[in-house]
Each structure stands twice: as C-alpha cells, then as structure tokens.
Amino acid sequence: MVIDGKGNFTETTWTSTNNKNTKFNGTYKVQGNVITFTTSSRTEWGKYNITSNTVFTKTDGVGKYYKD
C-alpha cells in the first residue's frame, strides 16, 4: 500500500486464486488514531488503528499493515 500524505492511497495485492495482481485506488481519512480507507467507488476498504508510525492494525483485530 502506498499512502501519499495528501489523502490518497494505492494498494496492489496478489491473489492466489487468479494468480495476478489487483490494484485498488482510493482516499483515506485520519481521525484521532484511526485511519479509514475508501475505494474510488466510495466503498469502505478498511478501518485501522494506527498503533505506531510503522503499523496499522485492523479495528476488528483481523489484519495488519507493516511499513517496509
């Protein structure tokens, strides 16, 4: 996932079922320690707690993003 610091994100994921990369674009919003990602079609992509400057933890507890 790439977060541009201006409210936009791009995520590229690899799916084993299709054996290909899928790219999503959208926007994000930070409120307190929660970051919410929304796709370009206005669907909520995910809501994460910002647990540190290198880790986002899904608010429902299933899933994390780590900075490389």
Side-chain angles (χ1 to χ4, degrees):
M1 177 180 284
V2 176
I3 300 172
D4 72 358
K6 298 176 185 176
N8 303 296
F9 80 93
T10 302
E11 180 174 11
T12 304
T13 58
W14 179 79
T15 58
S16 58
T17 53
N18 297 339
N19 196 27
K20 68 176 187 175
N21 286 330
T22 305
K23 189 173 187 176
F24 297 93
N25 294 302
T27 59
Y28 68 89
K29 184 176 182 179
V30 177
Q31 292 177 298
N33 69 336
V34 175
I35 185 167
T36 304
F37 298 100
T38 305
T39 64
S40 57
S41 63
R42 309 242 185 249
T43 303
E44 187 177 289
W45 180 246
K47 190 175 278 193
Y48 293 82
N49 292 315
I50 303 169
T51 54
S52 75
N53 64 346
T54 59
V55 179
F56 297 156
T57 305
K58 190 99 184 223
T59 54
D60 66 6
V62 181
K64 287 186 180 186
Y65 281 104
Y66 296 91
K67 182 178 178 184
D68 284 343

mmCIF file of all heavy atoms in Angstrom, residues 15-45:
data_model
loop_
_atom_site.group_PDB
_atom_site.id
_atom_site.type_symbol
_atom_site.label_atom_id
_atom_site.label_comp_id
_atom_site.label_asym_id
_atom_site.label_seq_id
_atom_site.Cartn_x
_atom_site.Cartn_y
_atom_site.Cartn_z
ATOM 1 N N THR A 15 -3.424 -12.195 -5.749
ATOM 2 C CA THR A 15 -4.407 -13.193 -5.369
ATOM 3 C C THR A 15 -3.981 -14.551 -5.919
ATOM 4 O O THR A 15 -3.691 -14.687 -7.113
ATOM 5 C CB THR A 15 -5.809 -12.858 -5.907
ATOM 6 O OG1 THR A 15 -5.762 -12.748 -7.323
ATOM 7 C CG2 THR A 15 -6.325 -11.555 -5.325
ATOM 8 N N SER A 16 -3.945 -15.537 -5.050
ATOM 9 C CA SER A 16 -3.531 -16.875 -5.470
ATOM 10 C C SER A 16 -4.592 -17.556 -6.324
ATOM 11 O O SER A 16 -4.270 -18.403 -7.154
ATOM 12 C CB SER A 16 -3.206 -17.739 -4.251
ATOM 13 O OG SER A 16 -4.316 -17.824 -3.396
ATOM 14 N N THR A 17 -5.858 -17.184 -6.149
ATOM 15 C CA THR A 17 -6.917 -17.813 -6.945
ATOM 16 C C THR A 17 -6.831 -17.417 -8.419
ATOM 17 O O THR A 17 -7.110 -18.230 -9.288
ATOM 18 C CB THR A 17 -8.318 -17.455 -6.406
ATOM 19 O OG1 THR A 17 -8.416 -16.043 -6.316
ATOM 20 C CG2 THR A 17 -8.546 -18.078 -5.046
ATOM 21 N N ASN A 18 -6.443 -16.167 -8.678
ATOM 22 C CA ASN A 18 -6.315 -15.694 -10.058
ATOM 23 C C ASN A 18 -4.870 -15.630 -10.519
ATOM 24 O O ASN A 18 -4.617 -15.403 -11.695
ATOM 25 C CB ASN A 18 -6.938 -14.303 -10.211
ATOM 26 C CG ASN A 18 -8.418 -14.302 -9.930
ATOM 27 O OD1 ASN A 18 -9.069 -15.330 -9.986
ATOM 28 N ND2 ASN A 18 -8.959 -13.144 -9.624
ATOM 29 N N ASN A 19 -3.943 -15.795 -9.583
ATOM 30 C CA ASN A 19 -2.511 -15.694 -9.866
ATOM 31 C C ASN A 19 -2.169 -14.387 -10.585
ATOM 32 O O ASN A 19 -1.494 -14.386 -11.616
ATOM 33 C CB ASN A 19 -2.036 -16.901 -10.677
ATOM 34 C CG ASN A 19 -0.523 -17.015 -10.658
ATOM 35 O OD1 ASN A 19 0.136 -16.570 -9.728
ATOM 36 N ND2 ASN A 19 0.037 -17.609 -11.693
ATOM 37 N N LYS A 20 -2.698 -13.294 -10.068
ATOM 38 C CA LYS A 20 -2.406 -11.991 -10.657
ATOM 39 C C LYS A 20 -2.495 -10.904 -9.601
ATOM 40 O O LYS A 20 -3.042 -11.110 -8.518
ATOM 41 C CB LYS A 20 -3.363 -11.682 -11.804
ATOM 42 C CG LYS A 20 -4.799 -11.452 -11.375
ATOM 43 C CD LYS A 20 -5.676 -11.040 -12.559
ATOM 44 C CE LYS A 20 -7.054 -10.649 -12.075
ATOM 45 N NZ LYS A 20 -7.879 -10.141 -13.158
ATOM 46 N N ASN A 21 -1.957 -9.745 -9.932
ATOM 47 C CA ASN A 21 -2.034 -8.577 -9.060
ATOM 48 C C ASN A 21 -3.323 -7.812 -9.337
ATOM 49 O O ASN A 21 -3.753 -7.699 -10.482
ATOM 50 C CB ASN A 21 -0.847 -7.646 -9.289
ATOM 51 C CG ASN A 21 0.424 -8.188 -8.709
ATOM 52 O OD1 ASN A 21 0.402 -8.908 -7.715
ATOM 53 N ND2 ASN A 21 1.550 -7.862 -9.317
ATOM 54 N N THR A 22 -3.914 -7.298 -8.287
ATOM 55 C CA THR A 22 -5.089 -6.447 -8.387
ATOM 56 C C THR A 22 -4.745 -5.114 -7.737
ATOM 57 O O THR A 22 -4.170 -5.091 -6.652
ATOM 58 C CB THR A 22 -6.299 -7.085 -7.667
ATOM 59 O OG1 THR A 22 -6.513 -8.384 -8.195
ATOM 60 C CG2 THR A 22 -7.543 -6.253 -7.845
ATOM 61 N N LYS A 23 -5.085 -4.015 -8.389
ATOM 62 C CA LYS A 23 -4.739 -2.692 -7.891
ATOM 63 C C LYS A 23 -6.005 -1.949 -7.495
ATOM 64 O O LYS A 23 -6.991 -1.952 -8.231
ATOM 65 C CB LYS A 23 -3.993 -1.921 -8.962
ATOM 66 C CG LYS A 23 -3.388 -0.632 -8.503
ATOM 67 C CD LYS A 23 -2.538 -0.037 -9.611
ATOM 68 C CE LYS A 23 -1.783 1.170 -9.133
ATOM 69 N NZ LYS A 23 -0.897 1.700 -10.167
ATOM 70 N N PHE A 24 -5.979 -1.329 -6.311
ATOM 71 C CA PHE A 24 -7.084 -0.526 -5.809
ATOM 72 C C PHE A 24 -6.573 0.893 -5.568
ATOM 73 O O PHE A 24 -5.466 1.081 -5.091
ATOM 74 C CB PHE A 24 -7.607 -1.077 -4.478
ATOM 75 C CG PHE A 24 -8.184 -2.455 -4.589
ATOM 76 C CD1 PHE A 24 -7.401 -3.565 -4.345
ATOM 77 C CD2 PHE A 24 -9.511 -2.636 -4.934
ATOM 78 C CE1 PHE A 24 -7.928 -4.839 -4.439
ATOM 79 C CE2 PHE A 24 -10.049 -3.910 -5.038
ATOM 80 C CZ PHE A 24 -9.253 -5.008 -4.787
ATOM 81 N N ASN A 25 -7.393 1.860 -5.881
ATOM 82 C CA ASN A 25 -7.080 3.260 -5.608
ATOM 83 C C ASN A 25 -8.208 3.845 -4.772
ATOM 84 O O ASN A 25 -9.348 3.400 -4.876
ATOM 85 C CB ASN A 25 -6.977 4.072 -6.906
ATOM 86 C CG ASN A 25 -5.825 3.638 -7.752
ATOM 87 O OD1 ASN A 25 -4.691 3.665 -7.318
ATOM 88 N ND2 ASN A 25 -6.112 3.203 -8.963
ATOM 89 N N GLY A 26 -7.879 4.828 -3.980
ATOM 90 C CA GLY A 26 -8.913 5.482 -3.197
ATOM 91 C C GLY A 26 -8.361 6.589 -2.345
ATOM 92 O O GLY A 26 -7.276 7.109 -2.601
ATOM 93 N N THR A 27 -9.102 6.927 -1.324
ATOM 94 C CA THR A 27 -8.723 8.001 -0.416
ATOM 95 C C THR A 27 -8.678 7.459 1.004
ATOM 96 O O THR A 27 -9.186 6.382 1.288
ATOM 97 C CB THR A 27 -9.732 9.162 -0.483
ATOM 98 O OG1 THR A 27 -11.019 8.676 -0.128
ATOM 99 C CG2 THR A 27 -9.777 9.775 -1.870
ATOM 100 N N TYR A 28 -8.052 8.211 1.876
ATOM 101 C CA TYR A 28 -8.035 7.847 3.291
ATOM 102 C C TYR A 28 -8.305 9.078 4.135
ATOM 103 O O TYR A 28 -8.122 10.205 3.692
ATOM 104 C CB TYR A 28 -6.725 7.181 3.701
ATOM 105 C CG TYR A 28 -5.527 8.105 3.677
ATOM 106 C CD1 TYR A 28 -5.180 8.855 4.793
ATOM 107 C CD2 TYR A 28 -4.749 8.222 2.536
ATOM 108 C CE1 TYR A 28 -4.084 9.701 4.774
ATOM 109 C CE2 TYR A 28 -3.654 9.053 2.509
ATOM 110 C CZ TYR A 28 -3.323 9.792 3.621
ATOM 111 O OH TYR A 28 -2.259 10.633 3.598
ATOM 112 N N LYS A 29 -8.776 8.823 5.345
ATOM 113 C CA LYS A 29 -9.062 9.893 6.297
ATOM 114 C C LYS A 29 -8.560 9.457 7.666
ATOM 115 O O LYS A 29 -8.790 8.314 8.070
ATOM 116 C CB LYS A 29 -10.566 10.140 6.345
ATOM 117 C CG LYS A 29 -10.984 11.291 7.215
ATOM 118 C CD LYS A 29 -12.481 11.502 7.117
ATOM 119 C CE LYS A 29 -12.923 12.684 7.949
ATOM 120 N NZ LYS A 29 -14.361 12.903 7.852
ATOM 121 N N VAL A 30 -7.877 10.343 8.353
ATOM 122 C CA VAL A 30 -7.369 10.057 9.692
ATOM 123 C C VAL A 30 -8.205 10.829 10.703
ATOM 124 O O VAL A 30 -8.390 12.040 10.578
ATOM 125 C CB VAL A 30 -5.881 10.449 9.829
ATOM 126 C CG1 VAL A 30 -5.386 10.213 11.239
ATOM 127 C CG2 VAL A 30 -5.022 9.682 8.826
ATOM 128 N N GLN A 31 -8.735 10.103 11.691
ATOM 129 C CA GLN A 31 -9.472 10.720 12.795
ATOM 130 C C GLN A 31 -8.892 10.157 14.079
ATOM 131 O O GLN A 31 -9.075 8.976 14.377
ATOM 132 C CB GLN A 31 -10.956 10.405 12.701
ATOM 133 C CG GLN A 31 -11.631 11.055 11.511
ATOM 134 C CD GLN A 31 -13.085 10.668 11.419
ATOM 135 O OE1 GLN A 31 -13.404 9.501 11.260
ATOM 136 N NE2 GLN A 31 -13.957 11.659 11.501
ATOM 137 N N GLY A 32 -8.181 10.988 14.815
ATOM 138 C CA GLY A 32 -7.509 10.526 16.028
ATOM 139 C C GLY A 32 -6.465 9.487 15.663
ATOM 140 O O GLY A 32 -5.568 9.765 14.876
ATOM 141 N N ASN A 33 -6.596 8.277 16.202
ATOM 142 C CA ASN A 33 -5.631 7.224 15.891
ATOM 143 C C ASN A 33 -6.229 6.169 14.943
ATOM 144 O O ASN A 33 -5.745 5.063 14.850
ATOM 145 C CB ASN A 33 -5.117 6.560 17.172
ATOM 146 C CG ASN A 33 -6.189 5.745 17.871
ATOM 147 O OD1 ASN A 33 -7.378 5.983 17.696
ATOM 148 N ND2 ASN A 33 -5.778 4.786 18.676
ATOM 149 N N VAL A 34 -7.297 6.541 14.219
ATOM 150 C CA VAL A 34 -7.945 5.617 13.277
ATOM 151 C C VAL A 34 -7.805 6.163 11.858
ATOM 152 O O VAL A 34 -8.069 7.335 11.602
ATOM 153 C CB VAL A 34 -9.435 5.418 13.621
ATOM 154 C CG1 VAL A 34 -10.128 4.556 12.578
ATOM 155 C CG2 VAL A 34 -9.574 4.783 14.997
ATOM 156 N N ILE A 35 -7.378 5.297 10.938
ATOM 157 C CA ILE A 35 -7.293 5.656 9.528
ATOM 158 C C ILE A 35 -8.306 4.798 8.775
ATOM 159 O O ILE A 35 -8.373 3.586 8.979
ATOM 160 C CB ILE A 35 -5.857 5.491 8.980
ATOM 161 C CG1 ILE A 35 -5.746 5.991 7.545
ATOM 162 C CG2 ILE A 35 -5.357 4.065 9.113
ATOM 163 C CD1 ILE A 35 -4.309 6.154 7.059
ATOM 164 N N THR A 36 -9.123 5.448 7.950
ATOM 165 C CA THR A 36 -10.156 4.763 7.181
ATOM 166 C C THR A 36 -9.839 4.910 5.704
ATOM 167 O O THR A 36 -9.632 6.025 5.214
ATOM 168 C CB THR A 36 -11.548 5.359 7.472
ATOM 169 O OG1 THR A 36 -11.790 5.293 8.880
ATOM 170 C CG2 THR A 36 -12.637 4.600 6.741
ATOM 171 N N PHE A 37 -9.789 3.776 5.009
ATOM 172 C CA PHE A 37 -9.528 3.759 3.576
ATOM 173 C C PHE A 37 -10.842 3.556 2.833
ATOM 174 O O PHE A 37 -11.645 2.708 3.192
ATOM 175 C CB PHE A 37 -8.562 2.627 3.221
ATOM 176 C CG PHE A 37 -7.226 2.773 3.864
ATOM 177 C CD1 PHE A 37 -6.905 2.054 4.999
ATOM 178 C CD2 PHE A 37 -6.281 3.634 3.342
ATOM 179 C CE1 PHE A 37 -5.663 2.180 5.591
ATOM 180 C CE2 PHE A 37 -5.036 3.778 3.925
ATOM 181 C CZ PHE A 37 -4.727 3.047 5.056
ATOM 182 N N THR A 38 -11.063 4.339 1.779
ATOM 183 C CA THR A 38 -12.261 4.247 0.956
ATOM 184 C C THR A 38 -11.829 4.110 -0.499
ATOM 185 O O THR A 38 -10.980 4.873 -0.967
ATOM 186 C CB THR A 38 -13.137 5.507 1.119
ATOM 187 O OG1 THR A 38 -13.420 5.686 2.511
ATOM 188 C CG2 THR A 38 -14.429 5.396 0.361
ATOM 189 N N THR A 39 -12.412 3.146 -1.228
ATOM 190 C CA THR A 39 -12.049 2.933 -2.625
ATOM 191 C C THR A 39 -12.606 4.050 -3.496
ATOM 192 O O THR A 39 -13.459 4.828 -3.064
ATOM 193 C CB THR A 39 -12.572 1.584 -3.154
ATOM 194 O OG1 THR A 39 -13.992 1.613 -3.133
ATOM 195 C CG2 THR A 39 -12.053 0.428 -2.331
ATOM 196 N N SER A 40 -12.144 4.101 -4.734
ATOM 197 C CA SER A 40 -12.619 5.135 -5.656
ATOM 198 C C SER A 40 -14.117 5.005 -5.936
ATOM 199 O O SER A 40 -14.759 5.968 -6.316
ATOM 200 C CB SER A 40 -11.828 5.089 -6.957
ATOM 201 O OG SER A 40 -11.918 3.812 -7.532
ATOM 202 N N SER A 41 -14.693 3.810 -5.710
ATOM 203 C CA SER A 41 -16.141 3.634 -5.879
ATOM 204 C C SER A 41 -16.906 3.944 -4.590
ATOM 205 O O SER A 41 -18.071 3.613 -4.460
ATOM 206 C CB SER A 41 -16.448 2.211 -6.342
ATOM 207 O OG SER A 41 -16.039 1.276 -5.366
ATOM 208 N N ARG A 42 -16.217 4.559 -3.624
ATOM 209 C CA ARG A 42 -16.795 5.013 -2.349
ATOM 210 C C ARG A 42 -17.165 3.884 -1.385
ATOM 211 O O ARG A 42 -17.990 4.048 -0.507
ATOM 212 C CB ARG A 42 -17.996 5.924 -2.579
ATOM 213 C CG ARG A 42 -17.736 7.054 -3.531
ATOM 214 C CD ARG A 42 -17.889 8.370 -2.855
ATOM 215 N NE ARG A 42 -17.743 9.455 -3.809
ATOM 216 C CZ ARG A 42 -16.713 10.278 -3.803
ATOM 217 N NH1 ARG A 42 -15.778 10.151 -2.912
ATOM 218 N NH2 ARG A 42 -16.633 11.243 -4.682
ATOM 219 N N THR A 43 -16.553 2.725 -1.567
ATOM 220 C CA THR A 43 -16.753 1.604 -0.656
ATOM 221 C C THR A 43 -15.660 1.633 0.401
ATOM 222 O O THR A 43 -14.489 1.811 0.067
ATOM 223 C CB THR A 43 -16.675 0.266 -1.422
ATOM 224 O OG1 THR A 43 -17.641 0.277 -2.461
ATOM 225 C CG2 THR A 43 -16.917 -0.906 -0.510
ATOM 226 N N GLU A 44 -16.038 1.467 1.672
ATOM 227 C CA GLU A 44 -15.015 1.440 2.717
ATOM 228 C C GLU A 44 -14.132 0.215 2.519
ATOM 229 O O GLU A 44 -14.592 -0.911 2.501
ATOM 230 C CB GLU A 44 -15.646 1.410 4.107
ATOM 231 C CG GLU A 44 -14.597 1.544 5.206
ATOM 232 C CD GLU A 44 -15.197 1.596 6.589
ATOM 233 O OE1 GLU A 44 -15.829 2.625 6.914
ATOM 234 O OE2 GLU A 44 -15.024 0.622 7.331
ATOM 235 N N TRP A 45 -12.840 0.449 2.347
ATOM 236 C CA TRP A 45 -11.873 -0.621 2.109
ATOM 237 C C TRP A 45 -11.389 -1.215 3.425
ATOM 238 O O TRP A 45 -11.120 -2.382 3.533
ATOM 239 C CB TRP A 45 -10.716 -0.072 1.293
ATOM 240 C CG TRP A 45 -9.648 -1.057 0.970
ATOM 241 C CD1 TRP A 45 -8.357 -1.040 1.419
ATOM 242 C CD2 TRP A 45 -9.754 -2.217 0.148
ATOM 243 N NE1 TRP A 45 -7.670 -2.101 0.917
ATOM 244 C CE2 TRP A 45 -8.518 -2.852 0.138
ATOM 245 C CE3 TRP A 45 -10.805 -2.790 -0.564
ATOM 246 C CZ2 TRP A 45 -8.280 -4.026 -0.568
ATOM 247 C CZ3 TRP A 45 -10.570 -3.945 -1.262
ATOM 248 C CH2 TRP A 45 -9.323 -4.546 -1.262
#
